[in-house]
Amino acid sequence: SYELTQPLSVSVTLGQTARITCGGDNIEKTNAHWYQQKAGQAPVLVIYRDDNRPSGIPERFAGSNSGNTATLTISGAQAGDEADYFCQVWDGSTVVFGGGTKLTVL
Amino acid sequence: QLLLQESGPGLVKPSETLSLTCNVSGGSIGPSGYYWGWLRQPPGKGLEWIASISSTANSHYNPAFKSRVAISVDTSKSHFALKLSSVAAADTAVYFCARQLWPEKFDLWGQGTQVIVAS
């Protein structure tokens, strides 16, 4: 079965750039989506189809997908960005999620 | 604005069947190109897709659940439902319903409902 690998945690200094990776075999051949989940809340879609932002998501959130890695980049990280982030793809037969990355803003 | 709201028992006994409903309000669940899905998140763990269904009852299942899960839709009541049979402690989780642009992104989510499997 297809697997997506995310780092358990990423730390970023307030105002700096955070990058959260999602590794998968030839992930560039699929569309990667990213969700933000704050404690006790439902996930929110922040990036879809690799690099598209839904309406209402700040421009600080950006995505890319190349080779075996999809990346979520958060520029000028704010305290309110502290959350768990999950990547997701369709592997041709099932929906697959990464294990999630906890982003800490220092 | 479309809203999704899960409902169901918070406690289910082992070996019984878990039944959940997702009510869709503020818009139509009818033909729109969207699918309607169920996902779950065990305590302290990641997200897991269970199943999705279209308004015309075309359904897709995660193979890991297929033998004991059923998803259904009732467009007249604007809701869709999940049944998970033979539950065990490992099925303890927060269950979410969500709108899906099949087979890709989940763009709208319910708030989630906690289900505990215990005797």
Side-chain angles (χ1 to χ4, degrees):
Chain A
S1 61
Y2 194 78
E3 292 186 359
L4 295 174
T5 301
Q6 296 184 237
L8 282 176
S9 63
V10 167
S11 297
V12 63
T13 302
L14 185 69
Q16 298 304 300
T17 297
R19 293 180 180 83
I20 299 173
T21 58
C22 176
D25 187 36
N26 273 325
I27 193 173
E28 68 175 359
K29 304 295 186 186
T30 70
N31 292 319
H33 316 288
W34 290 92
Y35 303 87
Q36 174 194 70
Q37 186 179 33
K38 296 183 179 179
Q41 298 183 19
V44 172
L45 180 70
V46 294
I47 292 290
Y48 66 96
R49 277 193 282 116
D50 298 339
D51 57 5
N52 294 274
R53 274 179 296 104
S55 174
I57 300 301
E59 293 182 8
R60 304 183 289 103
F61 289 84
S64 62
N65 190 358
S66 178
N68 295 316
T69 305
T71 303
L72 173 68
T73 302
I74 306 171
S75 305
Q78 301 180 2
D81 297 333
E82 194 159 281
D84 293 326
Y85 291 84
F86 296 90
C87 58
Q88 176 242 314
V89 303
W90 167 254
D91 76 351
S93 64
T94 191
V95 173
V96 181
F97 284 91
T101 298
K102 180 175 182 59
L103 177 68
T104 300
V105 180
L106 304 172
Chain B
Q1 179 182 356
L2 203 67
L3 292 175
L4 284 69
Q5 177 70 59
E6 306 88 349
S7 61
L11 180 65
V12 183
K13 289 183 168 53
S15 80
E16 294 189 344
T17 294
L18 166 65
S19 295
L20 297 172
T21 299
C22 182
N23 185 63
V24 180
S25 60
S28 173
I29 197 174
S32 63
Y34 284 102
Y35 273 60
W36 306 91
W38 286 99
L39 307 95
R40 74 180 188 180
Q41 187 171 34
K45 296 189 177 181
L47 297 165
E48 189 172 29
W49 172 67
I50 302 171
S52 297
I53 192 166
S54 71
S55 62
T56 56
N58 187 27
S59 59
H60 300 275
Y61 295 94
N62 183 333
F65 295 95
K66 193 168 184 178
S67 64
R68 59 188 187 105
V69 69
I71 191 171
S72 60
V73 63
D74 187 335
T75 54
S76 67
K77 296 181 179 178
S78 200
H79 75 210
F80 61 105
L82 178 78
K83 290 187 185 295
L84 182 65
S85 63
S86 303
V87 298
D91 294 310
T92 292
V94 175
Y95 285 75
F96 296 98
C97 62
R99 187 178 75 171
Q100 183 184 20
L101 188 61
W102 180 259
E104 305 284 353
K105 62 179 179 176
F106 296 90
D107 65 346
L108 283 176
W109 294 66
Q111 65 183 26
T113 186
Q114 172 75 58
V115 175
I116 297 173
V117 178
S119 53

